[in-house]
Amino acid sequence: MTAFAFVFPGQGSQSMGMLNAWGDHPAVRATLAEASDALGEDIARLIAEGPKEALDLTTNTQPVMLTAGVACWRAWLADTGLMPAAVAGHSLGEYAALVAAGALTLKDALPLVRFRAQAMQEAVPVGAGGMAAILGMDAEGVKAGCAEAAALTGEAVEAVNFNDPKQTVIAGTKAAVEKACEVLKAAGAKRALPLPVSAPFHSSLMKPAAERLKEKLAATAFAVPSIAVINNIDVVVAADPDAIRDALYRQAFGPVRWVESVQALKGRGLTHVIECGPGKVLSGMVKRIDAELVTGCVLDPTSLTEVKALLA
């Protein structure tokens, strides 16, 4: 059996009906029931029927994406019994990775991520912050452009998601992000695309949210993971529960180092990186980071069968 890693997507990969293809798969059905019990609402119905506006609310998107990622993971385990050698998750996806690794129960993770979403939303007034994807420029160039825009505006703007070698997401105040987009396009970026998000995630402006999250993390039970989890903020495997809590706290206002995370998976001798959960966003990123890595997705029964054959 090929040694492989699983990676879990975060906010932005959600869509109405994203688990419908699983039908009445017992593992998926049980996960949806568990999520509904944990949050006191019909999560299965929200995922299946939306409406899209409700699904895209940060306070719903984060628990819904966590549920979907874990549902696909449990379906994989139920059908194959095959365990990855390591896991990682992009931003919110790190919580799904921790559930998969047994460091956190889904029952505890769901209210935690809903609280995280609420704290992030409340940290900066709607419309006061922003994010943009910068395409066609390396990370160092993006960081330099952000520093210039911050100096020109006197406001915060930072590189926050290092998604692939030529795609970096920036976040900060609305004015500073707009100025950074101007500066970066003038400096040679191919595109600067404002993102339809409600807060400047992973920027220093999220520090107040992180402080609130820190208290919630302290009150949440964590265990030593049974699978290596490479975290976003330090690109290391943290096994101690307090170290995991601290990494999640700092992740809320620190960058997602995805390029380095994927390189770290390869550095562990893993040749196959499988995206687990709705969408194929991470698979594309992985290929752009390292074309030698073999990718696949577990998002429905058909793709699960394909990945099982891929790893045989």
Side-chain angles (χ1 to χ4, degrees), residues 146-169:
C146 286
E148 183 180 338
L152 288 169
T153 61
E155 298 181 14
V157 59
E158 301 144 16
V160 297
N161 287 6
F162 298 97
N163 286 337
D164 71 39
K166 295 293 182 179
Q167 184 199 116
T168 302
V169 174

PDB file of all heavy atoms in Angstrom, residues 146-169:
ATOM      1  N   CYS A 146       2.714  44.523   0.310  1.00  0.00           N
ATOM      2  CA  CYS A 146       1.880  44.766   1.494  1.00  0.00           C
ATOM      3  C   CYS A 146       2.549  45.762   2.436  1.00  0.00           C
ATOM      4  O   CYS A 146       1.891  46.655   2.981  1.00  0.00           O
ATOM      5  CB  CYS A 146       1.601  43.454   2.222  1.00  0.00           C
ATOM      6  SG  CYS A 146       0.397  42.387   1.397  1.00  0.00           S
ATOM      7  N   ALA A 147       3.853  45.606   2.624  1.00  0.00           N
ATOM      8  CA  ALA A 147       4.596  46.524   3.505  1.00  0.00           C
ATOM      9  C   ALA A 147       4.511  47.950   2.965  1.00  0.00           C
ATOM     10  O   ALA A 147       4.335  48.913   3.733  1.00  0.00           O
ATOM     11  CB  ALA A 147       6.039  46.075   3.621  1.00  0.00           C
ATOM     12  N   GLU A 148       4.620  48.084   1.644  1.00  0.00           N
ATOM     13  CA  GLU A 148       4.535  49.417   1.024  1.00  0.00           C
ATOM     14  C   GLU A 148       3.145  50.017   1.206  1.00  0.00           C
ATOM     15  O   GLU A 148       2.997  51.200   1.574  1.00  0.00           O
ATOM     16  CB  GLU A 148       4.874  49.321  -0.464  1.00  0.00           C
ATOM     17  CG  GLU A 148       4.876  50.662  -1.167  1.00  0.00           C
ATOM     18  CD  GLU A 148       5.217  50.554  -2.651  1.00  0.00           C
ATOM     19  OE1 GLU A 148       5.854  49.547  -3.046  1.00  0.00           O
ATOM     20  OE2 GLU A 148       4.837  51.477  -3.404  1.00  0.00           O
ATOM     21  N   ALA A 149       2.103  49.189   0.974  1.00  0.00           N
ATOM     22  CA  ALA A 149       0.728  49.676   1.120  1.00  0.00           C
ATOM     23  C   ALA A 149       0.409  50.033   2.569  1.00  0.00           C
ATOM     24  O   ALA A 149      -0.280  51.029   2.838  1.00  0.00           O
ATOM     25  CB  ALA A 149      -0.247  48.620   0.616  1.00  0.00           C
ATOM     26  N   ALA A 150       0.926  49.265   3.509  1.00  0.00           N
ATOM     27  CA  ALA A 150       0.716  49.565   4.927  1.00  0.00           C
ATOM     28  C   ALA A 150       1.364  50.888   5.302  1.00  0.00           C
ATOM     29  O   ALA A 150       0.795  51.696   6.054  1.00  0.00           O
ATOM     30  CB  ALA A 150       1.273  48.431   5.788  1.00  0.00           C
ATOM     31  N   ALA A 151       2.546  51.140   4.759  1.00  0.00           N
ATOM     32  CA  ALA A 151       3.240  52.398   5.038  1.00  0.00           C
ATOM     33  C   ALA A 151       2.490  53.578   4.424  1.00  0.00           C
ATOM     34  O   ALA A 151       2.393  54.657   5.038  1.00  0.00           O
ATOM     35  CB  ALA A 151       4.668  52.321   4.495  1.00  0.00           C
ATOM     36  N   LEU A 152       1.941  53.388   3.223  1.00  0.00           N
ATOM     37  CA  LEU A 152       1.231  54.470   2.544  1.00  0.00           C
ATOM     38  C   LEU A 152      -0.089  54.808   3.213  1.00  0.00           C
ATOM     39  O   LEU A 152      -0.504  55.981   3.246  1.00  0.00           O
ATOM     40  CB  LEU A 152       0.966  54.076   1.083  1.00  0.00           C
ATOM     41  CG  LEU A 152       2.190  54.051   0.158  1.00  0.00           C
ATOM     42  CD1 LEU A 152       1.843  53.389  -1.177  1.00  0.00           C
ATOM     43  CD2 LEU A 152       2.713  55.467  -0.073  1.00  0.00           C
ATOM     44  N   THR A 153      -0.769  53.806   3.754  1.00  0.00           N
ATOM     45  CA  THR A 153      -2.096  54.032   4.341  1.00  0.00           C
ATOM     46  C   THR A 153      -2.074  54.189   5.857  1.00  0.00           C
ATOM     47  O   THR A 153      -3.025  54.713   6.440  1.00  0.00           O
ATOM     48  CB  THR A 153      -3.043  52.853   4.002  1.00  0.00           C
ATOM     49  OG1 THR A 153      -2.491  51.644   4.557  1.00  0.00           O
ATOM     50  CG2 THR A 153      -3.220  52.708   2.495  1.00  0.00           C
ATOM     51  N   GLY A 154      -1.009  53.692   6.476  1.00  0.00           N
ATOM     52  CA  GLY A 154      -0.969  53.684   7.936  1.00  0.00           C
ATOM     53  C   GLY A 154      -1.906  52.649   8.530  1.00  0.00           C
ATOM     54  O   GLY A 154      -2.243  52.700   9.716  1.00  0.00           O
ATOM     55  N   GLU A 155      -2.352  51.699   7.705  1.00  0.00           N
ATOM     56  CA  GLU A 155      -3.272  50.659   8.163  1.00  0.00           C
ATOM     57  C   GLU A 155      -2.699  49.278   7.870  1.00  0.00           C
ATOM     58  O   GLU A 155      -1.722  49.144   7.130  1.00  0.00           O
ATOM     59  CB  GLU A 155      -4.638  50.839   7.481  1.00  0.00           C
ATOM     60  CG  GLU A 155      -5.297  52.169   7.841  1.00  0.00           C
ATOM     61  CD  GLU A 155      -6.662  52.354   7.200  1.00  0.00           C
ATOM     62  OE1 GLU A 155      -7.223  51.363   6.697  1.00  0.00           O
ATOM     63  OE2 GLU A 155      -7.163  53.494   7.205  1.00  0.00           O
ATOM     64  N   ALA A 156      -3.310  48.255   8.454  1.00  0.00           N
ATOM     65  CA  ALA A 156      -2.766  46.893   8.361  1.00  0.00           C
ATOM     66  C   ALA A 156      -3.171  46.203   7.063  1.00  0.00           C
ATOM     67  O   ALA A 156      -4.337  46.222   6.678  1.00  0.00           O
ATOM     68  CB  ALA A 156      -3.249  46.064   9.551  1.00  0.00           C
ATOM     69  N   VAL A 157      -2.192  45.588   6.404  1.00  0.00           N
ATOM     70  CA  VAL A 157      -2.437  44.658   5.309  1.00  0.00           C
ATOM     71  C   VAL A 157      -1.258  43.693   5.270  1.00  0.00           C
ATOM     72  O   VAL A 157      -0.104  44.114   5.351  1.00  0.00           O
ATOM     73  CB  VAL A 157      -2.642  45.360   3.949  1.00  0.00           C
ATOM     74  CG1 VAL A 157      -1.429  46.203   3.550  1.00  0.00           C
ATOM     75  CG2 VAL A 157      -2.968  44.328   2.869  1.00  0.00           C
ATOM     76  N   GLU A 158      -1.561  42.396   5.199  1.00  0.00           N
ATOM     77  CA  GLU A 158      -0.512  41.372   5.325  1.00  0.00           C
ATOM     78  C   GLU A 158      -0.783  40.205   4.394  1.00  0.00           C
ATOM     79  O   GLU A 158      -1.928  39.954   4.017  1.00  0.00           O
ATOM     80  CB  GLU A 158      -0.487  40.838   6.780  1.00  0.00           C
ATOM     81  CG  GLU A 158      -0.232  41.890   7.837  1.00  0.00           C
ATOM     82  CD  GLU A 158      -1.030  41.629   9.112  1.00  0.00           C
ATOM     83  OE1 GLU A 158      -1.539  40.505   9.301  1.00  0.00           O
ATOM     84  OE2 GLU A 158      -1.156  42.567   9.920  1.00  0.00           O
ATOM     85  N   ALA A 159       0.277  39.499   4.039  1.00  0.00           N
ATOM     86  CA  ALA A 159       0.136  38.233   3.327  1.00  0.00           C
ATOM     87  C   ALA A 159      -0.283  37.178   4.348  1.00  0.00           C
ATOM     88  O   ALA A 159       0.396  36.984   5.350  1.00  0.00           O
ATOM     89  CB  ALA A 159       1.451  37.846   2.665  1.00  0.00           C
ATOM     90  N   VAL A 160      -1.419  36.508   4.097  1.00  0.00           N
ATOM     91  CA  VAL A 160      -1.965  35.621   5.130  1.00  0.00           C
ATOM     92  C   VAL A 160      -2.161  34.166   4.701  1.00  0.00           C
ATOM     93  O   VAL A 160      -2.215  33.283   5.548  1.00  0.00           O
ATOM     94  CB  VAL A 160      -3.306  36.163   5.680  1.00  0.00           C
ATOM     95  CG1 VAL A 160      -3.108  37.510   6.366  1.00  0.00           C
ATOM     96  CG2 VAL A 160      -4.365  36.271   4.586  1.00  0.00           C
ATOM     97  N   ASN A 161      -2.312  33.913   3.413  1.00  0.00           N
ATOM     98  CA  ASN A 161      -2.443  32.527   2.926  1.00  0.00           C
ATOM     99  C   ASN A 161      -1.437  32.311   1.809  1.00  0.00           C
ATOM    100  O   ASN A 161      -1.595  32.866   0.719  1.00  0.00           O
ATOM    101  CB  ASN A 161      -3.846  32.250   2.354  1.00  0.00           C
ATOM    102  CG  ASN A 161      -4.922  32.151   3.399  1.00  0.00           C
ATOM    103  OD1 ASN A 161      -4.685  32.384   4.571  1.00  0.00           O
ATOM    104  ND2 ASN A 161      -6.125  31.832   2.977  1.00  0.00           N
ATOM    105  N   PHE A 162      -0.429  31.485   2.075  1.00  0.00           N
ATOM    106  CA  PHE A 162       0.561  31.159   1.050  1.00  0.00           C
ATOM    107  C   PHE A 162       0.088  29.866   0.376  1.00  0.00           C
ATOM    108  O   PHE A 162       0.465  28.763   0.771  1.00  0.00           O
ATOM    109  CB  PHE A 162       1.939  31.025   1.687  1.00  0.00           C
ATOM    110  CG  PHE A 162       2.409  32.311   2.329  1.00  0.00           C
ATOM    111  CD1 PHE A 162       2.246  32.529   3.700  1.00  0.00           C
ATOM    112  CD2 PHE A 162       2.969  33.316   1.560  1.00  0.00           C
ATOM    113  CE1 PHE A 162       2.652  33.714   4.286  1.00  0.00           C
ATOM    114  CE2 PHE A 162       3.378  34.519   2.141  1.00  0.00           C
ATOM    115  CZ  PHE A 162       3.228  34.724   3.504  1.00  0.00           C
ATOM    116  N   ASN A 163      -0.772  30.028  -0.634  1.00  0.00           N
ATOM    117  CA  ASN A 163      -1.510  28.891  -1.189  1.00  0.00           C
ATOM    118  C   ASN A 163      -0.723  28.061  -2.191  1.00  0.00           C
ATOM    119  O   ASN A 163      -0.831  26.842  -2.228  1.00  0.00           O
ATOM    120  CB  ASN A 163      -2.810  29.371  -1.834  1.00  0.00           C
ATOM    121  CG  ASN A 163      -3.848  29.760  -0.797  1.00  0.00           C
ATOM    122  OD1 ASN A 163      -3.787  29.291   0.348  1.00  0.00           O
ATOM    123  ND2 ASN A 163      -4.773  30.601  -1.171  1.00  0.00           N
ATOM    124  N   ASP A 164       0.011  28.740  -3.053  1.00  0.00           N
ATOM    125  CA  ASP A 164       0.901  28.046  -3.976  1.00  0.00           C
ATOM    126  C   ASP A 164       1.988  29.039  -4.372  1.00  0.00           C
ATOM    127  O   ASP A 164       1.922  30.211  -3.969  1.00  0.00           O
ATOM    128  CB  ASP A 164       0.140  27.436  -5.174  1.00  0.00           C
ATOM    129  CG  ASP A 164      -0.401  28.442  -6.178  1.00  0.00           C
ATOM    130  OD1 ASP A 164       0.284  29.441  -6.472  1.00  0.00           O
ATOM    131  OD2 ASP A 164      -1.497  28.225  -6.704  1.00  0.00           O
ATOM    132  N   PRO A 165       3.000  28.623  -5.131  1.00  0.00           N
ATOM    133  CA  PRO A 165       4.127  29.530  -5.392  1.00  0.00           C
ATOM    134  C   PRO A 165       3.750  30.846  -6.068  1.00  0.00           C
ATOM    135  O   PRO A 165       4.493  31.824  -5.958  1.00  0.00           O
ATOM    136  CB  PRO A 165       5.045  28.687  -6.283  1.00  0.00           C
ATOM    137  CG  PRO A 165       4.760  27.279  -5.857  1.00  0.00           C
ATOM    138  CD  PRO A 165       3.289  27.249  -5.600  1.00  0.00           C
ATOM    139  N   LYS A 166       2.629  30.889  -6.770  1.00  0.00           N
ATOM    140  CA  LYS A 166       2.224  32.114  -7.463  1.00  0.00           C
ATOM    141  C   LYS A 166       0.841  32.597  -7.046  1.00  0.00           C
ATOM    142  O   LYS A 166       0.206  33.368  -7.758  1.00  0.00           O
ATOM    143  CB  LYS A 166       2.265  31.890  -8.984  1.00  0.00           C
ATOM    144  CG  LYS A 166       3.661  31.634  -9.547  1.00  0.00           C
ATOM    145  CD  LYS A 166       4.549  32.872  -9.438  1.00  0.00           C
ATOM    146  CE  LYS A 166       5.925  32.627 -10.059  1.00  0.00           C
ATOM    147  NZ  LYS A 166       6.781  33.832  -9.981  1.00  0.00           N
ATOM    148  N   GLN A 167       0.360  32.140  -5.892  1.00  0.00           N
ATOM    149  CA  GLN A 167      -0.923  32.626  -5.374  1.00  0.00           C
ATOM    150  C   GLN A 167      -0.798  32.857  -3.872  1.00  0.00           C
ATOM    151  O   GLN A 167      -0.586  31.914  -3.102  1.00  0.00           O
ATOM    152  CB  GLN A 167      -2.063  31.654  -5.634  1.00  0.00           C
ATOM    153  CG  GLN A 167      -3.427  32.210  -5.182  1.00  0.00           C
ATOM    154  CD  GLN A 167      -4.491  31.146  -4.985  1.00  0.00           C
ATOM    155  OE1 GLN A 167      -4.989  30.930  -3.883  1.00  0.00           O
ATOM    156  NE2 GLN A 167      -4.851  30.480  -6.061  1.00  0.00           N
ATOM    157  N   THR A 168      -0.929  34.102  -3.478  1.00  0.00           N
ATOM    158  CA  THR A 168      -0.892  34.470  -2.066  1.00  0.00           C
ATOM    159  C   THR A 168      -2.102  35.348  -1.770  1.00  0.00           C
ATOM    160  O   THR A 168      -2.415  36.265  -2.538  1.00  0.00           O
ATOM    161  CB  THR A 168       0.398  35.236  -1.727  1.00  0.00           C
ATOM    162  OG1 THR A 168       1.530  34.431  -2.062  1.00  0.00           O
ATOM    163  CG2 THR A 168       0.459  35.598  -0.250  1.00  0.00           C
ATOM    164  N   VAL A 169      -2.781  35.068  -0.677  1.00  0.00           N
ATOM    165  CA  VAL A 169      -3.935  35.875  -0.278  1.00  0.00           C
ATOM    166  C   VAL A 169      -3.482  36.906   0.753  1.00  0.00           C
ATOM    167  O   VAL A 169      -2.697  36.599   1.656  1.00  0.00           O
ATOM    168  CB  VAL A 169      -5.050  34.989   0.303  1.00  0.00           C
ATOM    169  CG1 VAL A 169      -6.194  35.830   0.864  1.00  0.00           C
ATOM    170  CG2 VAL A 169      -5.579  34.045  -0.778  1.00  0.00           C
TER     171      VAL A 169
END
